[in-house]
Amino acid sequence: MLAALLLAGAASQPRKAEAAPTFAKGADISWVAGMEAQGNKWKDKNGVQRDILDILKNDYQINSARIRVWVNPSGSYTNGYLNKERAAALAKRAKAAGMSVMLTLHYSDSWADPGQQTKPAAWAGYTFQQLMDAVWNWTREVMTTMQANGVTPDWVQIGNETNNGMLWNDGKASLSMQNYAWLVNTGNNAVKSISSGTKTIVHLANGYDNAVFVWNIGGLIANGATFDMIGMSLYPSASDWSSKVTQTISNANDMIARYGKPIMVTEIGMDYNQPAAAKSFVADIKTKIRNLSGGKGAGVFYWEPEATPGYNGGYNKGAWQADMKPTVALEGFLN
């Protein structure tokens, strides 16, 4: 941490991010690059083949793109691929399409989520100090790679679905909330050293689970962690989405009351074969997040809507059909 703070002081004057939308209506588009490399081409609802980002922005008012970054990923189009260079190329394309950009830093070589927060292989033997230094250096490398491509992200997640911390076992929250907090601080400080205006996010799954959020976010803050926003995931079913939204909004308002931080729902999704329910769900959570107390609702992102049925061995919560035409799900973002 000391090394990170000293480096922060020695860093060149950080740039400011460009103005983010008042309310982000977003899509995680991370699979787009790999899907295109596999030959996929999307159509709009009229069956006209168009660029997927053009369809998202101009047909569904999607104004923001979320892109994940892994440390040393495999070449797999589905479970790897997005190193910092490829992520920057996709971010550049999103910006050219008129979208704001959120980065999700997984601090892993592959998926990081509540069930796995595996250190990058290159970092496996590091001491905790070396781990913090690696987080600092890699975060800055990602940010400078983005800026070299003309992109200053509006938001950066420090980790992904870190319900029990990150970079296990050193940063496992149930083992050491302090270590987890220091890693979040290191990532936050690294982002700010490059772009002082970029907002940092701590993101947890199961946005309806207030107890987990109080334990995790409260624990971070009690241990001195600094970050700007609270991120949530929510993947309900067609039968329980209304109650799950109610619980998530209650949790969001509790987070605002306790900690005063804006709320961003950075992942939502529902089965593609329940498109009418998905549209209603998107419209409802969008409206209710936008109307959170104190104007603290910052946005909602659909996770990988461009995915087709069964993509990557069985993912079925995208918003495109096998004929490459969209379902009605994303119409919930309109207005």
Side-chain angles (χ1 to χ4, degrees):
M1 178 56 68
L2 179 59
L5 292 173
L6 289 173
L7 280 168
S12 58
Q13 184 65 29
R15 303 182 192 179
K16 292 185 177 180
E18 296 167 12
T22 304
F23 186 82
K25 294 191 281 189
D28 192 308
I29 60 168
S30 301
W31 267 333
V32 164
M35 290 184 76
E36 287 178 335
Q38 291 173 298
N40 289 284
K41 298 180 186 298
W42 292 265
K43 297 175 182 176
D44 62 22
K45 64 182 180 181
N46 297 316
V48 178
Q49 186 176 299
R50 290 163 52 199
D51 181 89
I52 181 63
L53 273 63
D54 173 46
I55 297 172
L56 290 170
K57 183 170 190 294
N58 292 306
D59 293 11
Y60 302 107
Q61 300 176 1
I62 299 297
N63 59 27
S64 303
R66 182 176 184 260
I67 300 168
R68 64 178 159 269
V69 193
W70 286 316
V71 178
N72 292 304
S74 73
S76 167
Y77 294 137
T78 51
N79 300 310
Y81 202 62
L82 281 182
N83 58 21
K84 60 183 184 290
E85 290 82 12
R86 290 195 179 108
L90 188 56
K92 181 178 182 178
R93 184 172 154 195
K95 183 179 177 182
M99 296 180 177
S100 292
V101 172
M102 176 192 295
L103 301 183
T104 307
L105 305 184
H106 279 235
Y107 297 107
S108 183
D109 293 336
S110 191
W111 303 100
D113 55 46
Q116 55 191 349
Q117 296 283 338
T118 306
K119 292 177 193 172
W123 304 359
Y126 285 179
T127 65
F128 187 64
Q129 180 61 56
Q130 289 172 327
L131 199 59
M132 287 196 296
D133 289 345
V135 166
W136 169 265
N137 290 326
W138 181 72
T139 304
R140 282 175 52 87
E141 287 170 12
V142 172
M143 291 293 290
T144 55
T145 301
M146 289 288 157
Q147 289 196 335
N149 281 269
V151 179
T152 299
D154 288 290
W155 315 275
V156 175
Q157 282 189 200
I158 308 301
N160 186 71
E161 295 188 333
T162 56
N163 290 43
N164 194 12
M166 57 199 283
L167 290 158
W168 291 349
N169 277 329
D170 295 69
K172 198 168 198 175
S174 57
L175 297 177
S176 177
M177 188 67 75
Q178 184 181 76
N179 280 7
Y180 172 39
W182 283 8
L183 290 167
V184 168
N185 263 351
T186 304
N188 173 83
N189 293 346
V191 168
K192 300 290 187 176
S193 75
I194 302 296
S195 171
S196 58
T198 295
K199 302 298 184 184
T200 55
I201 302 172
V202 170
H203 167 224
L204 310 184
N206 301 332
Y208 53 85
D209 192 341
N210 179 250
V212 168
F213 277 74
V214 171
W215 173 73
N216 187 299
I217 302 298
L220 283 175
I221 290 171
N223 280 276
T226 300
F227 57 99
D228 297 313
M229 307 174 77
I230 297 169
M232 299 177 168
S233 295
L234 183 63
Y235 291 95
S237 70
S239 61
D240 73 358
W241 69 262
S242 184
S243 62
K244 283 292 197 294
V245 168
T246 298
Q247 291 172 323
T248 299
I249 296 302
S250 175
N251 184 32
N253 279 319
D254 183 61
M255 292 294 100
I256 292 166
R258 288 174 185 267
Y259 311 120
K261 295 183 183 297
I263 304 296
M264 182 85 85
V265 180
T266 62
E267 292 185 22
I268 61 169
M270 189 183 287
D271 287 352
Y272 79 94
N273 61 2
Q274 299 283 350
K279 176 182 174 180
S280 297
F281 162 53
V282 172
D284 191 51
I285 194 166
K286 173 203 68 181
T287 299
K288 289 175 178 174
I289 290 291
R290 188 159 54 190
N291 294 329
L292 282 175
S293 61
K296 295 286 190 180
V300 174
F301 285 71
Y302 203 103
W303 197 81
E304 303 279 21
E306 78 282 0
T308 48
Y311 188 70
N312 194 25
Y315 187 73
N316 283 315
K317 297 183 187 297
W320 254 261
Q321 303 169 112
D323 63 2
M324 301 309 292
K325 291 167 63 176
T327 72
V328 298
L330 296 184
E331 291 178 15
F333 278 116
L334 297 177
N335 303 316

